[in-house]
Amino acid sequence: MIDVPSIPSTPATINEVIRTRRSVFTQQFDPGQPVDDQVIWQMLQNANWAPTHKRTEPWRFTVFSGESRKTLAEQQAAIYKAYAGDKFKQGKYEQLKQLPMLCSHVIAIAMKRNLAVPEMEEIAAVACAVQNMALTAQAYGVGGYWSTGGITFIEEAKALFNLAPEDRLMGFFYVGQVRIPSGDGHRGNIEEKVTWLK
C-alpha cells in the first residue's frame, strides 16, 4: 500500500478541517473521475482509530469500486424490489440502480455486534469511525456523504455483507471527486447547547 502524504496536524488545521467539512452529494460529484484508492485506504485507516469501548472495533467496511459498483447497484435494486412491498416506488428502484455509478467508491458501513458491551456503544463507535472517514475526505479534498437510505434497514440486505442477525447494516458512504462544492455551513450558537457548572 502506497503512503498518502500526511497533512500537518496543528490545532488550527484540525479546527479548519472539522469546521469546513460538508456533505457533498452524488449530484455534486464529477462522474467518471476516480478518487485514488490510496486516499480511500487513508480514510479507512483513520476510521480504524475511532474510540471503541473494550477495543471491540465493531466497524466493518465493504468497498465497491470499478465494476463492483454495478454489481452493488443491481443487487440493492433487486433487494429493494423484493422486500419493499406496498412502499415500492419505481423512482427509488431506478435511483438505486444508478447511484453507485455516479460515485468513485461506495463504502458499505456495518457494525459487527459484540455482546461484551451495550449495543449503543458499538453504534457510537462505528459513527465515530465514519466521522474520521468524513474528516479525512475533507482533508484530501474529496467529496462524500453518509446515507442510511436505500436498503440500509432491510433485514435481508445483511446477507450481501456477511452480517449475522445481531449485526447492523448502518448505511453507505458515497465518495467522489468534487465538481460542485457545498456551500457554507451553519450551526446554532454553542453557548445555547451547553450547561457549564463550576
Side-chain angles (χ1 to χ4, degrees):
M1 191 168 69
I2 301 169
D3 287 334
V4 176
S6 62
I7 295 172
S9 58
T10 65
T13 300
I14 292 171
N15 289 342
E16 179 73 9
V17 169
I18 291 171
R19 295 176 191 179
T20 58
R21 184 217 55 80
R22 301 287 178 271
S23 293
V24 180
F25 299 101
T26 48
Q27 61 267 31
Q28 298 170 260
F29 291 169
D30 193 349
Q33 292 301 312
V35 172
D36 192 304
D37 286 348
Q38 299 309 318
V39 172
I40 304 299
W41 274 116
Q42 190 69 56
M43 291 167 62
L44 296 168
Q45 287 281 8
N46 288 347
N48 199 42
W49 283 96
T52 168
H53 189 198
K54 294 193 176 181
R55 298 183 182 173
T56 59
E57 302 178 26
W59 43 82
R60 297 293 184 275
F61 303 109
T62 303
V63 181
F64 297 89
S65 64
E67 286 300 306
S68 71
R69 294 171 303 153
K70 186 174 182 181
T71 302
L72 171 64
E74 292 170 351
Q75 288 176 330
Q76 69 179 6
I79 288 173
Y80 171 70
K81 189 172 186 177
Y83 297 102
D86 293 341
K87 295 182 179 178
F88 178 82
K89 294 180 181 176
Q90 185 66 31
K92 184 172 181 178
Y93 172 77
E94 296 298 334
Q95 183 186 42
L96 288 170
K97 289 178 72 174
Q98 296 167 5
L99 196 63
M101 305 313 295
L102 300 175
C103 305
S104 172
H105 298 71
V106 180
I107 305 171
I109 302 161
M111 179 203 72
K112 193 73 177 169
R113 182 79 170 95
N114 188 316
L115 298 177
V117 297
E119 184 183 36
M120 184 277 291
E121 294 184 359
E122 299 287 79
I123 292 170
V126 175
C128 287
V130 176
Q131 175 73 344
N132 284 1
M133 289 169 52
L135 293 174
T136 305
Q138 171 67 19
Y140 285 101
V142 170
Y145 70 103
W146 180 10
S147 171
T148 55
I151 60 171
T152 299
F153 300 112
I154 297 176
E155 189 69 20
E156 290 78 6
K158 289 181 179 180
L160 283 182
F161 309 101
N162 300 312
L163 298 175
E166 67 272 16
D167 301 333
R168 283 186 184 241
L169 180 60
M170 291 182 59
F172 299 85
F173 198 90
Y174 298 98
V175 183
Q177 295 288 4
V178 180
R179 179 175 58 91
I180 303 171
S182 294
D184 292 338
H186 173 74
R187 294 292 186 272
N189 196 323
I190 186 59
E191 282 83 359
E192 297 173 2
K193 304 167 189 171
V194 176
T195 301
W196 190 313
L197 306 175
K198 294 185 179 180

